[in-house]
Amino acid sequence: MIQSKVEICGVNTSRLPLLDPEEKESLFQRITEGDSYAREIYIKGNLRLVLSIIKRFSSSNENADDLFQIGCVGLIKAIDNFDPNLNVKFSTYAVPMIIGEIRRFLRDNSSLRVSRSLKDIAYKAIYARDMLSKKNAKEPTIEEISAEIGISKEDIVYALDAIQSPMSLYEPVYTDGGDTLYICDQISDKKNREENWVEQISLREAINKLNPREHEIISLRFFEGKTQMEVADIIGISQAQVSRLEKNALKTMRSFFV
């Protein structure tokens, strides 16, 4: 529905403008100087980014106009908070903010109403999980999150479950020696093999930081839609080795965006 819709919120998506890197840099300089007209042009020049992201939520059955408006809110927040002195592309910074804004909208407008107290517990747990992950360079346990925020692990699990969709692609299904296998690792993507996700947000530069084996695994997994088991068969190593190399490669790529 979203992909076939040409006009969203009165905007003809087939005529959205494109800005080259020089224009973006010049406009952002003017924005930092308080130029509201430059800000308006910059917003319009990044609406394709919003459009490409809301396509990911086409299965949510939400109105495309609503998702586009919420995505634009995330885009504006990204523009207002972006620091051009950071060695990061604006799109790299903006994408998670846009996605986060849309996810909050979908969560808060879900037909399954969740109490405010449960949401507060869940948000505290998510914040603590992210903080502990960055601090310790590993995913924290429920016990560690519980100790950090002073809430029982049973209440945390219940609260997190209440705000989640019925099934997460990142639900762990198997763990062996620290290598966790998630649902998404067992799903191949037959639909989006040749699509460039969100204008290839600095991926090419990040992938170039990988060694040949890691590069091959990332290409097979995320560009050809192979499962870890299929990659293991192609390369001739175990699934556990593929999982370990994939995680190392993703860690290397994430460090490129920091």
Side-chain angles (χ1 to χ4, degrees), residues 95-112:
V95 165
M97 294 196 71
I98 297 171
I99 291 176
E101 202 69 31
I102 293 174
R103 283 179 175 167
R104 278 190 291 275
F105 168 78
L106 294 176
R107 183 169 59 234
D108 292 342
N109 289 274
S110 171
S111 58
L112 178 62

Side-chain angles (χ1 to χ4, degrees), residues 1-2 5 8-9 60-68 105:
M1 180 67 181
I2 291 176
K5 188 165 184 177
I8 299 181
C9 297
S60 68
N61 295 321
E62 288 289 337
N63 183 278
D65 291 45
D66 291 340
L67 292 181
F68 188 74
F105 168 78

Side-chain angles (χ1 to χ4, degrees), residues 146-164:
S146 174
E148 178 68 25
I149 63 178
I151 298 174
S152 72
K153 60 183 181 181
E154 291 80 10
D155 286 344
I156 292 173
V157 171
Y158 183 65
L160 290 174
D161 184 62
I163 68 168
Q164 293 299 317

